[in-house]
Amino acid sequence: MAMCGVASRRASEEIISKGRVHVNGDVVDYMGYEVDEDNDIVEVDGIVIKPEAKKYYILLNKPKGYVTTVSDEFDRPTVMELVSDVHARIYPVGRLDYDTAGLLIMTNDGEFANVLTHPSHAVNKGYIAQLNTMPDTEGLNKLRSGVLLDGKLTAPAKVEVLKPGKRGVEIKVTIHEGRNRQVRRMFEAIGAEVISLKRISVGNVTLGNLPEGKWRHLNDAERQRLMGRGKKSAQKRK
Ligand code: URA
């Protein structure tokens, strides 16, 4: 009962001894009854209870060439294949395009996923984009102040040129919105094409040196900060 979030162990004993618990329709008012989780139906005050699933918070380094869905109608590889060794019904929080690589969070905690994706939470996401050409200052400033996509201005982005040279242009962009193919379309809007795109951070959580295709658990501090509960909560829009 404690594992079902009904009450503490001690309070559960009291509930049992008061005859408020039924297993498969029969009152069980003594301690030590072994419940068969798969087959027994346990009720407290007539309400069926089930153990709460253990919560998982996974950070995956998604390679390009994987769809961010649980299944794909075109039979393309899905990110689920990369976390098949996690034995829980986790799902992606938000989305990365098929051809985008990098940091993807997955969980089976609905509240966590909702908080992270809710626009009011405005969690910053950092991307490194490789471009076919170096945008001019005016273009970069447009990204910083907002470009029109689908008739609506994007929120101001943080833009940092990492490599301006002929041997590849690399720009770091930080945004907090999650519009469809947003970073690619923002660059398109200023006349540049994204050749490759990688997400390197979500809030204060960074990809670090996790190899492509591998995953790790988020630690408690990372999880708390993403929920806005830690000492240094998820970096929000300045
Ligand atoms: N912006 C894009 O264009 N693609 C992504 O996958 C994420 C952000």
Side-chain angles (χ1 to χ4, degrees), residues 95-97 100 127 175 179-185 197 199:
R95 215 169 63 87
L96 286 179
D97 296 333
T100 299
Y127 297 86
I175 58 172
R179 289 156 71 176
N180 188 31
R181 295 179 78 81
Q182 178 161 346
V183 174
R184 290 173 199 276
R185 292 196 298 144
L197 188 62
R199 181 154 74 189

Side-chain angles (χ1 to χ4, degrees), residues 87-102:
H87 299 291
R89 285 184 189 217
I90 56 170
Y91 49 87
V93 179
R95 215 169 63 87
L96 286 179
D97 296 333
Y98 180 73
D99 39 6
T100 299

Side-chain angles (χ1 to χ4, degrees), residues 175 188 223:
I175 58 172
E188 251 168 53
R223 194 163 46 81

Side-chain angles (χ1 to χ4, degrees), residues 92-95 110-123 125:
V93 179
R95 215 169 63 87
E111 192 201 344
F112 178 75
N114 283 342
V115 168
L116 222 57
T117 48
H118 198 278
S120 67
H121 205 57
V123 178
K125 283 154 278 196

